[in-house]
Amino acid sequence: MSRADGRSPTLFEDQIPTSAATRLRLEGAVEKVLYADPERDFAILRLQVRGRGTQVAIGPLVGIQPGETVRLVGREESDPRHGRRFRARRVEAVQPTTLLGIERYLASGLIEGIGPEIARRMVRRFGLDTLEVIESQPERLQEIEGIGTVRSRRIREAWERHRAGRETRLLLAEHGIAGALATRIERHFGDRAPDIVQRSPHRLAREVSGIGFATADAIARAQGLAADAPERLQAGLLHALRSAKDRGHCFLPAAELVRLGADLLDLPVGHLEGVIDDLVAAGEVSAVRRPERVERAIYLPALERLETRMAARLRHLAGQNELPSTLDVGRAVQWFEERSQLTLAPGQRRALQTLLDAPLAVLTGGPGTGKTTLVRGLVEILAAKKLRVELAAPTGRAAQRLADATGRPAKTLHRLLEFDGRSRRFGRDAEQPVPCDVLVVDESSMVDLALAAAVVDALPERARLVWVGDVDQLPSIGPGRVLADLLASGLLAEARLTDVFRQARRSLIVRNAHRLTHGEAPISGREPTGPRSERGDDDFFFIERQQPQALFDTLVELVVERIPAHFGFDPRTEVQVLSPMRKGALGADRLNAELQLRLNPEGREVVADGVPLRVGDRVMQTRNNYDLGTFNGDIGRVAGFEPSERRASIDFDG
């Protein structure tokens, strides 16, 4: 093969032109898996490529085993640390066609019962027909020394399982599903995977994390499923309901669900009439009639059960009050004021009395209204009465702030409820409640329905529960608007703080938070160029730049120089940048790289598979890890790195 410019082609050049870089094809046998991360669908393989020797390939290659022959599509790149590598964008498995390739393939351990020596004997006996013999004439395997009736049967069964998985992977690869996702599908469905992919592909979206409805639907339509097939209509409505759950909804009105399903399936609404009833009959959804609604509320059954159970438990708890008989609420409030050398405002005093009077209560108010002071007062009064008080919050950082404010230990809710990462269950529940007389949950606007229900389940019969949070903040990421609904229920006593205190009123952050809740535009202070003014009203800025590079430079200057000079903050630990995107001129990736260079240039480099970290960097957890007790949004610092184990240690705040 030759080129018009006289150069030999690099590997096997793809005939599809691209504007960014020439796409290449690379085919070779996998010698070794150097690294694999199933969560990120990232692996590093060493291939034996005919005519080129060994080649390192990286990309979405999880699940590929030594001995397999693969065809990759991607590009070559040069890494300053690791040399030349082939970055794969697409992969497919191919059958080995040489004697050496077949022997390596069988000797790799992919097929139970065949090791290196047996593989060598098989290839010597059957040559290029070895795989065909295993496939079509397995009884001939007994011609090989060391293979008897039992072993030949075991090899045949293992080959069938391997072939089924291979067929599944090839089918999925046609629709862009490879690597970790394909492996996940095989693990979830086992030997049934090929049949399910071909006959019930919509189950992929319903049961396998990472497979979207559009992908599963494309597989189904490619195999001839009619647009109005009942299984497609049901799958579309279920996907619409699950998508609503991901957006924070516990249920959808029936008409809204049908409309969303029709849009998703690109069908008239009339095609979905009666489909909800079919799903109800099958137990896939729950339909609830609410007095305030004409139409039915459609839930995923688990969410409906959670909501019903939590409501019943709250009604039960609301009828109880186990205040100590010796507590004089008025004198207790006065005691706290004298002890703390504070004079509570009338609204604060009334709120604290409400919290002390009620078995279930909500303390809410915007920033600067004194919620922290009242929590401290409540805790000190009840602790003085020898009551067991537990403090908790949804995240580690929130728990640490609560502990700092009250001077008492505070835990994350998961730790308080003794969450087990392996079983995904809470150790504390109605049978084994939290040993406390009072439970205070701070930042409760962040608590979703599932976690709130677990809290209520684990509350002892005669214990008191106080939710603390700003009802005007954004609701939780998970389904439910718990804090607002608790207030709307009328079951809980409400202690609402509305007065912003003088010191807080000086802060533009506080003033603007309240302006926004009243539909007013925020006020901007002057740009920070030096030390902060004595007025204290220069903590909120709107800075406008017209060009991306100018904005990038300003952001870096703000973090590294101007904010530290203005507020006295340490930019390495006390300043954080939020960006709405990862890529691009103003994306988080570019900002992180520049800020790392400016703030931590001497940190020891951490090898983290494409994430250029250094010891001393601040990092954020981006997914819940229940085994380690770290959760999405937790912030920490890279404390060390162990090269032999390729493992970094992270110290998380709180």
Side-chain angles (χ1 to χ4, degrees):
M1 187 164 64
S2 63
R3 293 171 52 121
D5 59 12
R7 292 191 294 112
S8 297
T10 307
L11 309 179
F12 303 97
E13 296 199 2
D14 198 333
Q15 298 303 307
I16 303 174
T18 62
S19 57
T22 303
R23 294 205 312 176
L24 307 173
R25 287 179 180 166
L26 175 68
E27 184 174 315
V30 180
E31 283 191 343
K32 186 176 183 180
V33 177
L34 302 174
Y35 178 79
D37 182 350
E39 288 296 322
R40 294 179 56 229
D41 192 9
F42 178 86
I44 305 174
L45 310 180
R46 187 169 69 223
L47 308 180
Q48 182 68 36
V49 181
R50 188 169 55 184
R52 289 182 57 88
T54 60
Q55 175 88 36
V56 173
I58 65 174
L61 307 172
V62 171
I64 297 174
Q65 302 296 323
E68 289 192 83
T69 299
V70 293
R71 183 178 297 121
L72 311 178
V73 176
R75 60 182 173 83
E76 282 192 314
E77 65 179 26
S78 181
D79 182 272
R81 281 177 54 86
H82 305 289
R84 295 197 64 78
R85 305 186 298 184
F86 188 89
R87 182 171 290 277
R89 300 298 183 191
R90 194 170 71 245
V91 58
E92 63 179 88
V94 295
Q95 199 98 306
T97 57
T98 66
L99 293 176
L100 181 59
I102 294 172
E103 182 177 334
R104 284 177 172 169
Y105 180 60
L106 294 175
S108 65
L110 284 172
I111 312 301
E112 182 184 351
I114 301 180
E117 179 58 28
I118 292 295
R120 185 181 62 80
R121 295 176 189 173
M122 292 172 69
V123 172
R124 181 186 299 172
R125 178 71 178 86
F126 302 118
L128 295 176
D129 295 328
T130 300
L131 299 181
E132 178 63 26
V133 169
I134 299 174
E135 174 76 30
S136 304
Q137 300 173 290
E139 66 279 358
R140 291 192 61 193
L141 295 177
Q142 297 180 53
E143 298 174 17
I144 306 296
E145 182 183 354
I147 299 181
T149 305
V150 174
R151 190 169 190 176
S152 66
R153 185 177 68 250
R154 195 165 70 241
I155 290 173
R156 171 63 179 172
E157 291 170 351
W159 176 261
E160 288 289 344
R161 290 194 298 271
H162 175 66
R163 187 182 65 174
R166 195 177 181 85
E167 290 174 355
T168 302
R169 285 178 173 272
L170 290 173
L171 179 60
L172 293 172
E174 293 177 8
H175 299 278
I177 301 174
L181 281 181
T183 302
R184 207 174 296 162
I185 290 170
E186 289 183 66
R187 286 176 180 169
H188 184 79
F189 294 112
D191 294 343
R192 299 173 298 140
D195 186 63
I196 287 170
V197 170
Q198 291 180 321
R199 297 177 182 273
S200 305
H202 286 110
R203 287 184 61 183
L204 303 182
R206 291 166 54 183
E207 300 181 33
V208 182
S209 173
I211 303 293
F213 176 81
T215 299
D217 195 47
I219 296 174
R221 298 301 305 280
Q223 294 176 141
L225 187 70
D228 59 352
E231 56 264 46
R232 181 171 186 260
L233 302 184
Q234 292 181 18
L237 287 188
L238 284 172
H239 177 76
L241 194 57
R242 291 192 176 94
S243 296
K245 168 181 171 285
D246 294 339
R247 297 194 303 273
H249 298 292
C250 292
F251 69 89
L252 284 178
E256 176 71 4
L257 176 58
V258 168
R259 184 187 66 78
L260 290 173
D263 290 344
L264 175 70
L265 298 168
D266 195 22
L267 290 171
V269 170
H271 281 69
L272 287 103
E273 293 178 357
V275 178
I276 289 179
D277 292 331
D278 295 337
L279 289 171
V280 171
E284 297 277 8
V285 303
S286 298
V288 178
R289 290 281 186 186
R290 295 186 171 277
E292 71 276 12
R293 292 181 176 274
V294 175
E295 58 183 319
R296 295 176 296 174
I298 310 302
Y299 287 80
L300 293 170
L303 289 179
E304 192 267 333
R305 288 193 296 269
L306 278 175
E307 195 175 83
T308 301
R309 189 176 79 230
M310 181 175 174
R313 178 70 173 156
L314 284 172
R315 280 194 296 269
H316 171 71
L317 294 172
Q320 304 181 68
N321 193 338
E322 192 66 13
L323 274 173
S325 57
T326 57
L327 180 61
D328 182 320
V329 173
R331 290 189 62 186
V333 172
Q334 183 180 355
W335 172 84
F336 170 68
E337 288 182 309
E338 293 172 354
R339 174 185 174 87
S340 304
Q341 298 182 337
L342 292 172
T343 300
L344 298 179
Q348 286 182 303
R349 191 175 292 111
R350 288 192 299 271
L352 184 52
Q353 290 172 340
T354 297
L355 298 178
L356 290 168
D357 274 334
L360 300 176
V362 174
L363 171 62
T364 186
T369 56
K371 293 190 300 297
T372 300
T373 299
L374 286 205
V375 170
R376 184 159 54 88
L378 175 70
V379 169
E380 288 189 13
I381 290 170
L382 295 178
K385 289 297 180 180
K386 307 302 182 185
L387 296 180
R388 297 170 300 170
V389 179
E390 285 284 358
L391 305 177
T395 68
R397 298 188 77 199
Q400 186 62 52
R401 287 196 300 269
L402 181 59
D404 293 342
T406 60
R408 298 177 61 88
K411 303 174 183 176
T412 64
L413 286 170
H414 283 82
R415 185 158 294 161
L416 176 77
L417 300 176
E418 298 179 7
F419 186 81
D420 185 339
R422 294 175 182 266
S423 67
R424 296 295 190 265
R425 294 180 179 275
F426 292 105
R428 295 292 178 178
D429 53 20
E431 299 297 323
Q432 291 226 325
V434 175
C436 69
D437 301 305
V438 183
L439 174 58
V440 178
V441 180
D442 199 11
E443 296 289 358
S444 53
S445 63
M446 300 167 60
V447 179
D448 63 14
L449 175 61
L451 188 52
V455 169
V456 173
D457 277 348
L459 194 71
E461 278 294 302
R462 297 291 176 180
R464 302 154 56 76
L465 176 60
V466 178
W467 302 91
V468 182
D470 184 354
V471 75
D472 291 320
Q473 284 187 351
L474 290 173
S476 61
I477 295 174
R481 198 185 57 153
V482 172
L483 185 61
D485 287 346
L486 287 172
L487 283 170
S489 71
L491 281 174
L492 289 80
E494 176 182 340
R496 185 184 292 267
L497 300 174
T498 57
D499 295 331
V500 181
F501 293 95
R502 184 176 63 182
Q503 184 175 359
R505 279 200 301 269
R506 295 169 61 185
S507 166
L508 281 181
I509 293 176
V510 172
R511 288 164 61 187
N512 284 331
H514 290 276
R515 288 177 66 87
L516 287 170
T517 61
H518 291 88
E520 300 173 1
I523 304 168
S524 177
R526 63 182 179 84
E527 288 190 28
T529 56
R532 196 174 184 191
S533 72
E534 294 183 1
R535 297 193 313 274
D537 62 351
D538 50 355
D539 57 1
F540 181 99
F541 320 99
F542 181 81
I543 300 174
E544 185 174 356
R545 296 290 186 270
Q546 297 299 325
Q547 299 300 323
Q549 186 59 47
L551 182 51
F552 179 87
D553 294 339
T554 300
L555 272 170
V556 173
E557 183 185 2
L558 281 166
V559 173
V560 176
E561 300 173 9
R562 292 164 64 180
I563 287 178
H566 189 70
F567 294 98
F569 294 154
D570 183 342
R572 292 168 297 182
T573 60
E574 297 179 303
V575 181
Q576 186 170 338
V577 180
L578 304 182
S579 172
M581 53 198 172
R582 295 199 61 85
K583 305 298 181 183
L586 293 169
D589 289 345
R590 187 180 179 217
L591 284 165
N592 279 335
E594 181 65 21
L595 291 173
Q596 181 191 63
L597 183 64
R598 298 286 296 274
L599 298 175
N600 189 25
E602 304 299 327
R604 181 186 178 192
E605 188 172 330
V606 173
V607 180
D609 304 309
V611 182
L613 297 177
R614 294 177 180 174
V615 173
D617 281 351
R618 292 178 79 204
V619 293
M620 178 181 287
Q621 183 81 6
T622 58
R623 63 170 65 94
N624 291 344
N625 187 322
Y626 298 107
D627 294 326
L628 295 178
T630 57
F631 302 96
N632 185 16
D634 284 355
I635 292 176
R637 182 182 63 86
V638 180
F641 176 63
E642 179 51 57
S644 63
E645 298 183 10
R646 300 178 62 85
R647 178 176 297 180
S649 57
I650 311 293
D651 287 341
F652 282 97
D653 298 351

